[in-house]
Amino acid sequence: HRVLKPGGSFLVSVWVNVPADPASDIILRHSCVGPNPWHKGEDKRDVVGDFACPLRSKRPMSLSKPHLLENMLEKANLPVVESSNDEYPLKLGKTKDFAFKALTLPIRTELQQLKKDNHYHHQDAGEAFEDVLKEGFMVKQREDGEMEVPYNIYKFLVARREFEDDDIAKETKALVRRST
């Protein structure tokens, strides 16, 4: 079963750098731990008492390691024919409530689980967000009040399925059948 016909192109874009990613980690930790003493469990999870904080299920930069995606494509017989990087700031709006929701999209599932488990520390999550804003690198607030995540770098790749001997033979047979 093939995804692309011979000569078909595969286009993909992945995040290489997203300063909001560590900000989500900070907010998740504070949302779970709150003002309580905590430690790292054997499975590297934050633990408060005997409650293990959830691990992140979404990692926007999971394919950001240099050459990881290119190697995956090459192994799938899809040579990369074009690659480029560019920057794209993410606008978070002017209200802190909307900005908080936008910034925490990658950890939304985990925050909802904390609420369900009655272990969500709303105030501490808000304070962590304020700290991220004050720090000014992961999220910037412009003079007009607009908040944005700057310095997001994405990689755009174009890979192409090459023609194989089988492909040419199949196309030749199809042409012969059509002409007879």
Side-chain angles (χ1 to χ4, degrees):
H1 174 34
R2 293 186 173 156
V3 176
L4 291 176
K5 68 179 184 174
S9 295
F10 177 75
L11 312 171
V12 63
S13 180
V14 297
W15 291 114
V16 175
N17 182 46
V18 182
D21 202 42
S24 292
D25 289 332
I26 292 166
I27 292 169
L28 181 59
R29 169 173 282 156
H30 287 274
S31 298
C32 181
V33 172
N36 305 305
W38 61 279
H39 66 278
K40 285 281 186 193
E42 290 179 17
D43 59 357
K44 306 230 188 275
R45 292 168 72 170
D46 295 338
V47 178
V48 179
D50 52 356
F51 180 81
C53 297
L55 292 173
R56 284 184 61 182
S57 59
K58 295 176 182 76
R59 293 270 175 197
M61 293 183 9
S62 61
L63 293 172
S64 66
K65 185 177 176 183
H67 308 292
L68 175 64
L69 184 57
E70 291 88 340
N71 290 338
M72 290 169 68
L73 291 169
E74 294 286 339
K75 284 180 184 175
N77 291 323
L78 295 169
V80 175
V81 295
E82 187 177 330
S83 176
S84 63
N85 288 8
D86 206 350
E87 186 173 334
Y88 186 83
L90 298 174
K91 307 288 184 195
L92 301 177
K94 291 186 178 185
T95 69
K96 288 184 179 179
D97 184 52
F98 182 82
F100 178 86
K101 288 177 182 173
L103 186 66
T104 58
L105 275 174
I107 58 170
R108 178 75 58 219
T109 303
E110 290 79 6
L111 294 178
Q112 289 171 341
Q113 184 63 46
L114 286 172
K115 288 177 185 176
K116 181 181 169 194
D117 293 341
N118 200 26
H119 216 278
Y120 179 66
H121 298 276
H122 186 289
Q123 183 175 343
D124 294 280
E127 289 172 5
F129 176 70
E130 289 291 339
D131 289 345
V132 165
L133 274 178
K134 287 178 195 166
E135 183 268 336
F137 177 75
M138 294 179 270
V139 177
K140 289 189 178 226
Q141 189 164 17
R142 298 190 326 217
E143 288 180 18
D144 66 357
E146 178 81 29
M147 288 169 268
E148 72 177 17
V149 179
Y151 317 119
N152 300 294
I153 307 293
Y154 67 90
K155 177 180 359 183
F156 180 75
L157 297 175
V158 178
R160 190 155 294 131
R161 181 164 171 251
E162 295 177 337
F163 285 92
E164 299 167 6
D165 291 339
D166 287 357
D167 299 326
I168 295 168
K170 286 177 188 173
E171 286 186 26
T172 303
K173 285 181 186 177
L175 286 172
V176 168
R177 272 184 279 188
R178 281 187 229 144
S179 64
T180 56

